[in-house]
């Protein structure tokens, strides 16, 4: 049990350590010199932490205020508290290890060659599937068995479905995406092929000379977030709320100007750091993984976190985020009372999962593919969270109101329905 907990918590549970270990094994298999092994291992870990810090700044220092505002205006969304999933830690860990081993075997002996390396998602998918099983009343072997089947299936199916779309974005086939954006990205990507024109990319948008600074995604993103907070300020006022109390600056030395300016600039800082981390991580993990692809799993490619393609189309990322926030908010208003929970706009899903889907929609259908893909994804996200509340209402419903609306919800609904038949 001690060894199992060490593997689960200290290796699989730590994205930097897990990816650094993968890089080290890959470099050793290529018989690289000691200095190259050390450098590649350390730079992979550093790149991961830089990427994580960037995403952390975006979610924790910038768009977190938008989520707080929506939560305040819709307090019923909080409902009853989630159960303590830590009591299922051992089951989650067992599912994670068995599923990853199956992923390696499947990649070794079949034509689907992706290896799921998104560290935190290796944990969160078993977490979601165990929660869906518990909500349906499963225990013991049935609970672990069903969650393992779904986790292993996801690790194999999802990255391989994403592979041709990621190739459309990057122009090469060196990696794919292992992240719960898949259902939204598939819809956006293949819809873009039908309705769009990939020659008219969001990244080719012409700005007048006087607005040339808008080509910098960190600046554009900061301006967008600034405008969004200004609009949210007036929405809070219109709802009889005090923005200073909602956002926590009331009674302090600073006011709304400093608050909004800081949130906006933090977004630019986060994007800048995140994209730097992406470049560092890709530059190290992809070449290092070749050792595993040659010696252990012939032809394998890594399935990585969705921000690894954000630097390919940063304009699409920002456009998709804005469009998804608008369409999801409208959908929430129109569907009020339809589901057993009050839904709030999922700012994190709009930025990461739908941002990724927008980049893919742009790659296959240009500006139109990006916008329509993001708009439709924003609508689908709300319905997935709403219907998902029937299958997570007794376990992690509040968690899903923040982090659901994509593969977590879709696959969780399917697994939950099957779990009810097995109970």
């Amino acid at each position: 049990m001690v060894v199992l907990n060490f593997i689960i918590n200290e290796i699989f549970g730590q994205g930097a350590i897990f990816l650094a270990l993968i890089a080290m094994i890959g470099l050793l298999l290529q018989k690289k010199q000691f200095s190259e092994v050390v450098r590649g291992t350390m730079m992979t870990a550093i790149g991961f932490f830089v990427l994580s810090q960037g995403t952390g700044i975006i979610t924790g220092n910038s768009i977190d205020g938008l989520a707080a505002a929506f939560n305040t205006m819709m307090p019923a969304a909080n409902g009853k508290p989630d159960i303590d999933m830590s009591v299922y830690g051992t089951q989650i860990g067992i599912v994670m290890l068995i599923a990853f081993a199956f992923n390696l075997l499947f990649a070794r002996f079949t034509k689907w060659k992706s290896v799921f390396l998104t560290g935190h998602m290796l944990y969160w998918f078993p977490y979601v599937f165990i929660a869906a099983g518990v909500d349906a009343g499963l225990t013991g072997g049935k609970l672990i068995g069903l969650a393992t089947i779904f986790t292993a299936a996801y690790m194999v199916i999802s990255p391989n479905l994403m592979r041709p779309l990621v190739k459309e974005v990057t122009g090469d086939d060196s990696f794919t995406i292992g992240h719960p954006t898949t259902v939204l990205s598939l819809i956006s990507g293949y819809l873009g092929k039908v309705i769009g024109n990939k020659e008219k990319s969001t990244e080719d948008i012409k700005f007048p000379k006087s607005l040339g600074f808008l080509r910098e995604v960190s600046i554009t993103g900061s301006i967008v977030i600034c405008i969004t907070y200004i609009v949210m300020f007036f929405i809070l006022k219109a709802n009889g709320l005090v923005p200073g109390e909602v956002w926590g600056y009331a009674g302090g030395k600073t006011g709304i100007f400093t608050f909004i300016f800081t949130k906006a600039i933090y977004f630019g800082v986060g994007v800048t750091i995140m994209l730097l981390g992406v470049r560092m991580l890709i530059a190290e993990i992809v070449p290092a993984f070749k050792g595993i692809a040659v010696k252990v799993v012939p032809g394998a490619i890594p399935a990585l976190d969705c921000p690894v393609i954000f630097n390919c189309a940063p304009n699409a990322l920002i456009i998709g985020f804005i469009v998804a926030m608008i369409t999801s908010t409208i959908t929430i208003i129109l569907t009020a009372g339809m589901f057993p929970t009050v839904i709030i706009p999922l700012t994190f899903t709009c930025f990461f999962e739908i941002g990724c889907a927008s980049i893919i929609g742009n790659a296959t259908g240009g500006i139109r593919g990006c916008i329509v893909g993001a708009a439709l994804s924003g609508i689908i996200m709300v319905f997935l969270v709403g219907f998902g509340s029937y299958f997570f209402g007794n376990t992690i419903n509040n968690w899903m109101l923040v982090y659901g609306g994509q593969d977590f919800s879709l696959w969780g609904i399917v697994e939950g329905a099957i779990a009810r038949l097995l109970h």
Side-chain angles (χ1 to χ4, degrees):
M1 187 60 71
V2 174
V3 175
L4 177 64
N5 286 333
F6 175 81
I7 294 172
I8 293 169
N9 298 320
E10 303 293 334
I11 297 178
F12 280 84
Q14 304 297 325
I17 295 174
F18 179 68
L19 285 178
L21 181 62
I22 294 294
M24 183 180 71
I25 293 171
L27 292 168
L28 288 172
L29 289 173
Q30 293 179 66
K31 298 182 179 179
K32 297 290 185 180
Q33 294 182 357
F34 176 76
S35 62
E36 292 180 89
V37 173
V38 173
R39 182 196 174 282
T41 303
M42 294 298 293
M43 289 302 291
T44 297
I46 292 169
F48 177 87
F49 276 124
V50 172
L51 170 59
S52 298
Q53 285 298 311
T55 57
I57 290 172
I58 292 169
T59 58
N61 298 90
S62 182
I63 63 176
D64 60 319
L66 300 176
F70 283 119
N71 269 306
T72 303
M73 288 187 290
M74 301 176 180
N78 294 321
K80 63 181 181 180
D82 288 347
I83 68 168
D84 180 11
M85 286 295 292
S86 65
V87 299
Y88 296 97
T90 300
Q91 291 93 324
I92 292 170
I94 292 171
V95 170
M96 186 194 326
L97 294 178
I98 296 175
F100 185 71
F102 180 83
N103 181 200
L104 290 176
L105 289 172
F106 204 88
R108 174 68 178 82
F109 295 108
T110 74
K111 63 180 182 179
W112 281 20
K113 295 295 183 180
S114 67
V115 177
F116 201 100
L117 297 184
T118 309
H120 57 299
M121 292 302 166
L122 286 170
Y123 174 85
W124 289 121
F125 275 102
Y127 172 91
V128 168
F129 293 139
I130 287 288
V134 170
D135 199 283
L138 294 187
T139 58
K142 283 185 179 180
L143 176 65
I144 293 175
L146 187 62
T148 300
I149 290 170
F150 268 82
T151 304
Y154 187 85
M155 287 183 182
V156 171
I157 294 170
S158 177
N160 282 287
L161 290 176
M162 288 290 289
R163 186 170 181 174
L165 294 174
V166 174
K167 188 176 180 180
E168 293 265 9
V169 174
T170 62
D172 65 54
D173 195 30
S174 59
F175 66 89
T176 183
I177 298 294
H179 192 274
T181 183
T182 302
V183 61
L184 302 176
S185 292
L186 288 174
I187 292 170
S188 182
Y190 289 107
L191 184 64
K193 287 179 179 287
V194 174
I195 67 168
N197 179 3
K198 66 180 179 180
E199 301 303 320
K200 297 180 179 179
S201 171
T202 56
E203 309 315 295
D204 297 329
I205 294 174
K206 303 296 182 185
F207 295 101
K209 247 183 189 177
S210 59
L211 298 177
F213 59 87
L214 292 176
R215 292 191 184 92
E216 292 288 340
V217 66
S218 55
I219 296 176
T220 307
S222 293
I223 292 172
V224 167
I225 293 299
C226 177
I227 294 171
T228 305
Y229 269 101
I230 292 172
V231 171
M232 187 58 67
F233 173 85
F234 288 108
I235 292 175
L236 288 171
K237 297 277 282 186
N239 280 270
L241 298 167
V242 180
E245 294 178 358
V246 173
W247 286 327
Y249 63 81
K253 294 181 180 179
T254 59
I256 187 62
F257 175 81
T258 299
F259 176 83
I260 292 179
F261 178 83
T262 303
K263 291 291 184 183
I265 295 301
Y266 262 130
F267 187 86
V269 171
V271 169
T272 302
I273 294 173
M274 180 184 68
L275 295 181
L276 172 62
V278 165
R279 288 191 288 270
M280 292 176 66
L281 185 62
I282 292 298
E284 300 300 332
I285 192 67
V286 172
F289 192 79
K290 289 179 181 176
I292 296 174
V294 172
K295 298 295 179 74
V296 182
V297 186
I301 62 170
L304 305 171
D305 204 352
C306 70
V308 296
I309 64 169
F310 283 4
N311 62 338
C312 297
N315 288 343
L317 173 67
I318 301 300
I319 292 170
F321 174 60
I322 300 167
V323 171
M325 285 293 290
I326 293 170
T327 59
S328 62
T329 302
I330 293 172
T331 305
I332 287 168
I333 294 170
L334 295 177
T335 59
M338 182 182 295
F339 305 111
T341 186
V342 176
I343 303 170
I344 58 175
L346 290 83
T347 51
F348 301 149
T349 301
C350 286
F351 183 78
F352 290 100
E353 282 86 354
I354 297 181
C356 181
S358 302
I359 291 171
I360 288 174
N362 176 65
T364 61
I367 297 173
R368 193 183 304 154
C370 169
I371 293 174
V372 176
L376 186 58
S377 294
I379 296 169
I380 292 171
M381 176 185 72
V382 174
F383 280 93
L384 285 174
V385 172
F387 286 118
S389 63
Y390 289 101
F391 298 90
F392 297 101
N394 299 311
T395 49
I396 59 168
N397 190 58
N398 292 317
W399 187 88
M400 294 295 278
L401 287 172
V402 177
Y403 300 110
Q406 11 67 349
D407 296 355
F408 284 151
S409 295
L410 178 63
W411 283 66
I413 289 169
V414 175
E415 193 225 11
I418 294 174
R420 279 158 173 73
L421 295 175
L422 296 176
H423 178 55

